[in-house]
Amino acid sequence: MKNNFPILLIVLLIVFGACRKESFTNSKEARLTIGNDSLRFDTVFTSAGSITEYFLIKNNNKQKINISNLQLMGGSASAFKMNVDGSQGTQFNNIELAANDSIYVFVRVNINPTAANQPFLIRDSIKLEWNGNTSFKQLEAYGQNAHYIRSTILQGNINWTNDKPYVILGGMIVDTNAVLTIQKGTRIHLNADAPFIVDGTLIINGTKADSVVFRSNRLDDPYRDYPGSWPGIYFRGSSINNQLTYTYIKNAYQGIIVEQPATNSNPKLTLNNCVLDNIYDIGLFAVNSSINANNCLITNCGNNIALLYGGSYNFNHCTVASFSNSFVQHKTPALIASNFVKQNNTIYTAALNAVFTNSIIWGDEGLVDNEVVLQKEGVAAANLTLNNVLFRSKTDPASVLLNNSIKNTAPAFDSIDVAHRYYSFKLKAGSPAVNKGVASSLLTDFDGLPRVGLPDLGAYEKQ
């Protein structure tokens, strides 16, 4: 026994040392790291819920801490819901937090509809108590009432106003012979499963001050900036007389798709002062159809414009530009036009007549050599004309008619900051696009400012 005493002493020291290390600290000086004072949610549509936000509670001390109380102050009546390491509730007591360990607190918010049309603020807090210390985590969310459209076919004459946003779930169809008119300032938010399909007529009356915006219903960071967040706007075969004015289409998979010719003598789609931006696949996709576009910006898309299988198209004072960023790589020509389509190894052709006037077609260098591509099959006409257009192309685009156009001279856009996702496609002083246009009926630019003398190329007039 005498010979074993030193060994036993060492074992006891190890055991008691371990116990001391794992013991609790009762010191009021013991601190917990709980991040910022507030947890904020971006605008949440009423009855639609939100994503889950979270914060971390970390014990940086060398001993355990007992969190005596973790409490959602609004209790069960709160719009916020709390989950602590997998357990949902409004209050948790005596949570043991080991030295240098942490726990996650997850928070969701569901906001009930109210009579308010404008966004409103919802608040609550989470109280944290330990060793005689008290700390509060503030919770804030903006609620927004909305009109909900779920898997609906609209019939007759319908008028949407800007009293509340429209949230579309599961898709929507404007029926054949129906007319949907959307007034200035209206916001349309679409779910990932919600294509906006037009078999009838869509009229959008946006203004510069109160544009109409189509975007995803995910307004939380970072999802609000993701391209491909909703399917896009589809004008199908029977659709006619569509007119979009000061309309922003953002973050879609495909921005606008137009198929088949109009059944009357009018263009199937007219775009005035519209923006298609941050589109994952194709910004403006037309298949044997007809479009007039004036003072439009089609920017930062996987492929800005695709005009396939013929059709009739007129673009005047448009800026078509793409710069690779963390969301969309510019690796497809900004403009692709063809007089054919191939299906099941069979080629179908139709006459193409596309004219771009007073426009800019540009992309950053790297993955694309030629920003304008014309493809032709068979004997059907394939006419693509660039009148007073500044464009980037390593070689002259085959079979494209060029009149007074400028090749491979950077347009000198006002500000392109890819890292901060800031793009101003206005022109700097001295831009080669200034005063290089031909007189047209578009007497004002995208901003509503006058065009003086020989107009500038693109959607903006340098003032």
Side-chain angles (χ1 to χ4, degrees):
M1 180 69 181
K2 181 178 179 180
N3 292 335
N4 292 334
F5 180 77
I7 297 175
L8 180 61
L9 179 60
I10 292 172
V11 171
L12 289 173
L13 287 173
I14 294 173
V15 171
F16 283 117
C19 290
R20 282 196 300 272
K21 185 177 180 181
E22 293 300 324
S23 64
F24 287 92
T25 176
N26 295 315
S27 171
K28 193 171 182 178
E29 300 303 316
R31 291 288 178 253
L32 293 174
T33 301
I34 56 175
N36 297 327
D37 293 335
S38 299
L39 192 64
R40 292 183 172 89
F41 293 77
D42 291 301
T43 302
V44 177
F45 292 110
T46 57
S47 301
S50 76
I51 67 162
T52 299
E53 298 284 0
Y54 69 89
F55 63 93
L56 196 66
I57 302 173
K58 187 172 183 179
N59 176 14
N60 292 315
N61 301 279
K62 295 181 180 180
Q63 292 175 280
K64 287 184 183 180
I65 283 183
N66 179 58
I67 301 174
S68 56
N69 184 36
L70 185 61
Q71 182 178 358
L72 180 64
M73 298 306 293
S76 59
S78 175
F80 296 91
K81 305 300 177 186
M82 180 172 67
N83 185 299
V84 179
D85 267 2
S87 298
Q88 184 168 313
T90 60
Q91 186 170 3
F92 298 85
N93 302 113
N94 298 320
I95 301 172
E96 294 185 7
L97 189 56
N100 297 312
D101 200 0
S102 58
I103 59 171
Y104 285 91
V105 179
F106 298 93
V107 181
R108 288 182 63 86
V109 59
N110 289 278
I111 302 175
N112 292 323
T114 70
N117 287 338
Q118 298 301 315
F120 52 92
L121 184 62
I122 299 292
R123 285 195 175 108
D124 203 344
S125 63
I126 294 174
K127 182 167 70 172
L128 185 67
E129 294 179 309
W130 77 98
N131 294 1
N133 297 297
T134 301
S135 179
F136 287 90
K137 187 79 168 181
Q138 302 298 322
L139 308 177
E140 294 183 352
Y142 280 94
Q144 173 66 68
N145 292 301
H147 301 284
Y148 285 90
I149 309 292
R150 187 185 298 272
S151 302
T152 299
I153 299 177
L154 300 182
Q155 298 179 326
N157 294 324
I158 308 99
N159 187 54
W160 286 4
T161 62
N162 65 358
D163 60 335
K164 290 182 289 189
Y166 289 78
V167 177
I168 301 177
L169 307 169
M172 190 203 78
I173 298 175
V174 179
D175 202 10
T176 305
N177 300 322
V179 178
L180 171 61
T181 303
I182 301 178
Q183 302 300 346
K184 64 181 183 179
T186 304
R187 299 292 185 263
I188 300 99
H189 299 270
L190 300 101
N191 199 43
D193 66 346
F196 192 102
I197 299 172
V198 182
D199 289 333
T201 300
L202 176 64
I203 305 294
I204 297 181
N205 297 320
T207 66
K208 175 60 180 175
D210 291 299
S211 57
V212 172
V213 178
F214 288 77
R215 64 182 304 180
S216 168
N217 64 339
R218 292 292 298 268
L219 302 181
D220 46 294
D221 187 38
Y223 302 98
R224 62 188 172 197
D225 293 323
Y226 281 177
S229 297
W230 58 284
I233 302 176
Y234 298 81
F235 296 94
R236 298 199 297 197
S238 60
S239 182
I240 58 171
N241 300 332
N242 301 286
Q243 298 186 39
L244 280 59
T245 302
Y246 276 113
T247 302
Y248 282 69
I249 299 170
K250 305 172 63 175
N251 307 342
Y253 179 75
Q254 294 176 325
I256 292 177
I257 302 91
V258 190
E259 62 180 26
Q260 299 183 31
T263 57
N264 58 19
S265 60
N266 298 326
K268 188 154 192 169
L269 173 64
T270 299
L271 301 172
N272 293 317
N273 303 79
C274 294
V275 177
L276 285 74
D277 182 61
N278 200 37
I279 310 299
Y280 182 79
D281 186 37
I282 302 175
L284 181 60
F285 186 14
V287 181
N288 191 22
S289 196
S290 55
I291 298 172
N292 281 1
N294 305 301
N295 284 339
C296 292
L297 291 102
I298 305 172
T299 53
N300 293 334
C301 307
N303 169 206
N304 297 57
I305 300 175
L307 311 175
L308 306 184
Y309 190 31
S312 179
Y313 310 99
N314 281 283
F315 291 78
N316 198 358
H317 280 294
C318 291
T319 297
V320 182
S322 279
F323 293 84
S324 290
N325 56 66
S326 57
F327 293 149
V328 179
Q329 290 293 304
H330 177 54
K331 54 186 179 182
T332 305
L335 169 61
I336 298 175
S338 81
N339 70 338
F340 71 94
V341 65
K342 186 176 182 180
Q343 292 182 342
N344 299 324
N345 294 320
T346 300
I347 293 176
Y348 301 90
T349 63
L352 168 72
N353 186 39
V355 179
F356 286 74
T357 304
N358 296 336
S359 295
I360 296 173
I361 304 173
W362 195 261
D364 59 353
E365 296 185 38
L367 299 177
V368 179
D369 289 332
N370 302 309
E371 299 293 350
V372 178
V373 174
L374 174 62
Q375 300 170 334
K376 184 179 186 300
E377 292 283 351
V379 297
N383 299 318
L384 173 59
T385 304
L386 305 185
N387 295 321
N388 299 74
V389 172
L390 187 154
F391 68 102
R392 191 175 74 80
S393 186
K394 186 175 182 179
T395 59
D396 285 344
S399 304
V400 175
L401 182 61
L402 304 176
N403 295 319
N404 299 317
S405 291
I406 304 170
K407 187 179 75 171
N408 291 335
T409 303
F413 292 126
D414 181 71
S415 182
I416 303 297
D417 187 343
V418 174
H420 295 90
R421 295 190 53 74
Y422 178 78
Y423 304 91
S424 172
F425 293 102
K426 295 181 179 181
L427 302 175
K428 291 180 179 178
S431 164
V434 172
N435 298 332
K436 292 301 191 297
V438 60
S440 74
S441 60
L442 298 181
L443 302 181
T444 57
D445 71 355
F446 180 87
D447 284 336
L449 299 174
R451 289 191 165 99
V452 180
L454 288 177
D456 301 343
L457 307 183
Y460 294 103
E461 181 80 2
K462 178 64 182 173
Q463 301 298 312

